[in-house]
Amino acid sequence: MGAFGSYVQNIKDAVATIFDGMAVTASHFVRKPYTVQYPDRMPVRVQDTLPFRYRGILEVDLEICTGCLACERACPIDCIVISCEKDPKTRSMVISQFDIDIAKCMFCGLCSEPCPTGSIHHTSEFEGADYSLESLIRRFVKEPVQAYKPKKGPETDPRIAPILSRGMRYINEFAQPGGEKPEDEAEG
Ligand code: SF4
Ligand code: SF4
């Protein structure tokens, strides 16, 4: 093949290659997509599909926080800052600060395990994007609150009863090999 023949052959090859590539691209116009646009085209919220022990962004229920500082001490990277002081008049404990730095948190769960009331707990939320690191510090105390004082005796305080029963259901479920997610969690 002469120089001219090879030149023409190269042009043919180039055109054929372009059509090959375009055919693959065009086939994607009619194929079912493998990806879904997040989050607005999701059929259900991703949070609702997560396992029930998912360790998402931490939440604190100040109503049942005793101010014991167990969570603050347990955190290996000092994400939690709590300030408690005794009210000289009532002699009860007052919580004036309860901050969690979500930017530092590694979602290890070490803080929620020793909590005696379930006050600090993980949620299924994971979307923590924000405009500044400062705004990732979750400040749970808006104004000083009295720390929760558990009742003595066998009677369960109604405020922590739901947490205890939830904990018991998890323990029961965990004890069964291949156990199913508790019913109301599965629905929720
Ligand atoms: S989940 Fe781990 S890193 Fe995050 S606050 Fe709790 S103990 Fe600290
Ligand atoms: S959240 Fe739990 S562990 Fe932390 S101070 Fe309150 S009661 Fe104690």
Side-chain angles (χ1 to χ4, degrees):
M1 192 185 295
F4 180 71
S6 146
Y7 177 71
V8 172
Q9 186 58 42
N10 283 347
I11 292 174
K12 273 187 189 167
D13 287 349
V15 172
T17 309
I18 289 170
F19 273 99
D20 265 359
M22 292 311 288
V24 173
T25 305
S27 72
H28 282 275
F29 287 119
V30 289
R31 281 192 210 169
K32 195 168 176 255
Y34 292 106
T35 51
V36 182
Q37 290 200 21
Y38 178 85
D40 54 323
R41 302 260 173 98
M42 297 297 291
V44 283
R45 283 174 79 241
V46 175
Q47 286 86 339
D48 297 336
T49 65
L50 295 172
F52 71 115
R53 289 196 198 92
Y54 181 80
R55 292 200 296 252
I57 293 174
L58 286 161
E59 178 73 57
V60 176
D61 186 351
L62 280 177
E63 277 230 335
I64 51 171
C65 175
T66 63
C68 67
L69 309 185
C71 54
E72 187 188 50
R73 285 194 211 104
C75 180
I77 50 173
D78 300 331
C79 296
I80 305 174
V81 179
I82 306 172
S83 300
C84 289
E85 52 276 331
K86 248 191 183 162
D87 185 333
K89 284 185 201 154
T90 60
R91 300 198 53 76
S92 57
M93 195 69 91
V94 172
I95 306 169
S96 56
Q97 182 186 15
F98 198 132
D99 299 345
I100 303 179
D101 190 343
I102 297 299
K104 276 167 71 182
C105 179
M106 56 182 177
F107 306 98
C108 62
L110 290 174
C111 54
S112 54
E113 281 178 24
C115 180
T117 60
S119 166
I120 187 165
H121 56 276
H122 289 276
T123 64
S124 57
E125 287 302 321
F126 56 83
E127 293 167 323
D130 218 316
Y131 291 103
S132 69
L133 284 177
E134 174 65 20
S135 54
L136 284 171
I137 300 176
R138 302 281 158 98
R139 302 184 194 281
F140 293 93
V141 177
K142 305 292 176 237
E143 51 188 55
V145 287
Q146 200 163 326
Y148 170 66
K149 208 170 171 192
K151 282 188 179 150
K152 284 185 184 157
E155 197 183 324
T156 307
D157 189 301
R159 282 178 292 183
I160 61 167
I163 293 158
L164 290 178
S165 74
R166 187 164 174 254
M168 282 312 296
R169 287 199 348 272
Y170 285 176
I171 290 167
N172 291 337
E173 180 270 343
F174 198 60
Q176 294 165 15
E180 290 299 314
K181 190 171 172 175
E183 252 173 43
D184 55 344
E185 291 285 336
E187 286 158 9

